[in-house]
Amino acid sequence: MKEKILFTSEAVSEGHPDKICDQISDAILDACLKQDEDSRVACEVFVTKDYLLIGGEITSNAIVNYEEVARRVLKDIGYVNESLGLDANTCQIDVRVNRQSPDIARGVNKNGVLENYGAGDQGMMFGYATIESEGYMPLPISIAQKLVRVASNLRKEGNFKWAKPDMKSQVTIDYTNPHQIRIDKIIMSVHHDKDFNKEQFEKYIHEEIMIPVAKSFNLNLDFDVLINSAGLFVVGGPESDTGLTGRKIIVDTYGGSAKHGGGAFSGKDATKVDRSGAYMARYVAKNLVAAGISQRLEVQISYAIGKSEPVSINVATFRTAKYNDDFILSIIKKFFDLRPGKIIENFSLHKPTFSYEKLAVYGHFGRPDINLPWEKLDQVVKIQKIIEEANLEEIRRIYK
């Protein structure tokens, strides 16, 4: 019997302890940028039962009450009762924020000329795109993110009885037949009230969350189901698990379908290439795939601290490309400016039209609910024109 080809990704809701921290870190970034677009922010948050710590390095002319921002985020998520292990109104909050190192500032700022900004750190970032979904994202992470997003919205609307903020999803896709991709299994863990009807609760999750989400992707409905597989999930949130900014980097990106450079996004302004470089790499990969260069494509970009030009660029096409790597790299260099300052400028990352806080949960890529500049396909026509010219030149060479 042939073994199935399976791949799994997970996602977490806004009430997960790590995601609480990501959202507060990014809400502080939003607040700083709103008053001072040149803010330098590296904000970390730690949360446990009845306690939250805000730390990091922030240099800004903005006047922000960090504690007030944190309490507002907790209220928006739904942590407003001591029974949840964290009450926005009463939990202890400590603030330990310092200023950014002047050595880093000198290397980044380059006399204040944005396009010449150096990278805020060294490191490598990856971007990825695939034709397997409308958003050019891998199916497992796309479905997993939608499951917890839908479940959280239903909870906030009051329709998801007994549910609490902390949730996780996990989706396994069967790729055995590439012409008939299927959902193999969906797992959900949902924090709930002590006094609940288990049968009704699980039926609601299956029929009102899992089935509609699977239908929205035009996939099979006969998948295996596991709900709260450990039994009860009465103790959850920060009462059962500490949270920390930047601990869900695979959830934030491609669910493990692509490599990851290791740097987190949340709480960092865009001079940190962990964030801006990863956004740019996604933009490059998505436009190349949409233009027909390949069916799957992964881009790696690396930087040195204080330097504006990338150290290296690499592409992987997983044997799905119509063109060689040299040609693909030439297109990247022709149409995409990879300098951090130009990325910030082109995507308006220092004065965003979107909220970093909202971006901190349910993924940074392939978001159908947020208009993100790195998700635009505005280079596709230009790339296709180059492809057509290259194809014509090859035909002329063959028949010369």
Side-chain angles (χ1 to χ4, degrees):
M1 183 177 177
K2 185 178 180 180
E3 291 290 338
K4 290 182 178 180
I5 300 172
L6 304 175
F7 192 86
T8 300
S9 296
E10 72 158 351
V12 298
S13 72
E14 61 204 68
H16 185 280
D18 293 330
K19 277 296 156 198
I20 293 172
C21 297
D22 285 343
Q23 289 167 93
I24 292 172
S25 295
D26 275 335
I28 288 171
L29 172 61
D30 282 334
C32 290
L33 291 176
K34 188 174 182 180
Q35 297 180 43
D36 178 7
E37 65 183 46
D38 292 321
S39 296
R40 297 290 182 264
V41 179
C43 181
E44 310 283 349
V45 175
F46 166 86
V47 69
T48 187
K49 183 179 180 182
D50 297 325
Y51 178 78
L52 191 141
L53 171 66
I54 301 170
E57 298 78 43
I58 298 177
T59 301
S60 176
N61 292 321
I63 299 174
V64 178
N65 186 324
Y66 304 132
E67 180 179 334
E68 187 177 277
V69 171
R71 293 192 190 279
R72 192 270 302 160
V73 173
L74 292 174
K75 289 176 184 177
D76 288 349
I77 295 171
Y79 282 104
V80 291
N81 193 303
E82 290 183 0
S83 66
L84 297 172
L86 189 69
D87 187 338
N89 300 298
T90 61
C91 68
Q92 180 183 346
I93 297 180
D94 285 340
V95 177
R96 297 288 185 271
V97 173
N98 301 309
R99 292 179 66 82
Q100 184 189 52
S101 162
D103 295 335
I104 295 176
R106 279 191 294 271
V108 170
N109 293 342
K110 303 294 184 184
N111 299 319
V113 180
L114 183 58
E115 70 175 36
N116 293 329
Y117 273 17
D121 202 351
Q122 69 178 43
M124 65 283 191
M125 302 84 220
F126 290 89
Y128 181 77
T130 172
I131 62 169
E132 68 185 75
S133 73
E134 288 184 8
Y136 295 91
M137 286 289 287
L139 275 171
I141 188 64
S142 297
I143 299 171
Q145 295 284 18
K146 189 167 185 178
L147 286 165
V148 284
R149 188 171 70 246
V150 168
S152 293
N153 288 339
L154 289 169
R155 174 185 63 83
K156 286 186 167 183
E157 292 164 1
N159 296 320
F160 191 0
K161 193 175 179 181
W162 302 300
K164 292 183 178 182
D166 189 5
M167 308 177 189
K168 296 176 97 172
S169 65
Q170 187 169 295
V171 175
T172 300
I173 295 293
D174 182 351
Y175 288 102
T176 308
N177 182 350
H179 303 294
Q180 190 179 5
I181 295 172
R182 296 171 49 83
I183 302 174
D184 184 75
K185 189 187 299 295
I186 295 180
I187 301 171
M188 289 195 74
S189 297
V190 181
H191 188 198
H192 58 77
D193 292 336
K194 181 178 180 181
D195 299 317
F196 83 123
N197 185 304
K198 188 175 187 292
E199 183 179 348
Q200 289 182 26
F201 188 69
E202 293 183 359
K203 182 180 180 184
Y204 185 89
I205 293 172
H206 183 217
E207 296 182 357
E208 302 300 326
I209 299 172
M210 292 181 176
I211 295 296
V213 168
K215 282 183 177 179
S216 72
F217 287 88
N218 297 313
L219 290 170
N220 59 297
L221 306 180
D222 59 343
F223 46 82
D224 292 335
V225 173
L226 276 176
I227 298 171
N228 288 347
S229 54
L232 298 177
F233 191 4
V234 175
V235 180
E239 184 177 13
S240 66
D241 188 15
T242 58
L244 190 66
T245 300
R247 262 202 321 209
K248 286 291 176 282
I249 59 176
I250 301 302
V251 170
D252 283 342
T253 52
Y254 307 101
S257 292
K259 293 191 275 296
H260 197 294
F265 301 155
S266 290
K268 298 177 181 178
D269 72 86
T271 63
K272 282 75 173 176
V273 284
D274 283 337
R275 175 165 233 153
S276 52
Y279 292 172
M280 188 64 188
R282 161 64 176 174
Y283 176 66
V284 173
K286 185 176 181 182
N287 275 270
L288 289 171
V289 169
I293 289 288
S294 63
Q295 295 181 359
R296 293 172 59 202
L297 193 141
E298 182 184 81
V299 178
Q300 185 204 54
I301 311 171
S302 70
Y303 293 92
I305 189 167
K307 303 298 182 182
S308 58
E309 294 291 343
V311 172
S312 66
I313 309 166
N314 179 268
V315 294
T317 53
F318 312 98
R319 299 181 180 178
T320 68
K322 300 177 182 178
Y323 307 92
N324 63 38
D325 289 357
D326 285 346
F327 180 66
I328 297 171
L329 287 168
S330 71
I331 289 178
I332 293 174
K333 291 175 181 178
K334 181 178 180 64
F335 292 114
F336 301 97
D337 195 329
L338 306 180
R339 292 175 293 170
K342 293 302 291 185
I343 298 171
I344 293 169
E345 182 179 60
N346 293 336
F347 292 161
S348 297
L349 298 178
H350 54 326
K351 41 186 176 183
T353 56
F354 57 89
S355 163
Y356 282 111
E357 177 190 343
K358 299 301 181 186
L359 193 59
V361 65
Y362 309 126
H364 292 245
F365 307 120
R367 292 290 296 267
D369 55 327
I370 305 177
N371 184 22
L372 299 171
W374 53 90
E375 291 295 318
K376 292 181 179 178
L377 295 173
D378 52 2
Q379 301 298 318
V380 171
V381 173
K382 297 176 185 177
I383 295 169
Q384 288 175 335
K385 186 176 180 181
I386 292 294
I387 292 171
E388 290 171 6
E389 291 173 355
N391 289 341
L392 287 172
E393 182 62 29
E394 179 64 13
I395 291 170
R396 292 191 192 102
R397 187 188 66 79
I398 293 172
Y399 291 99
K400 187 176 180 179

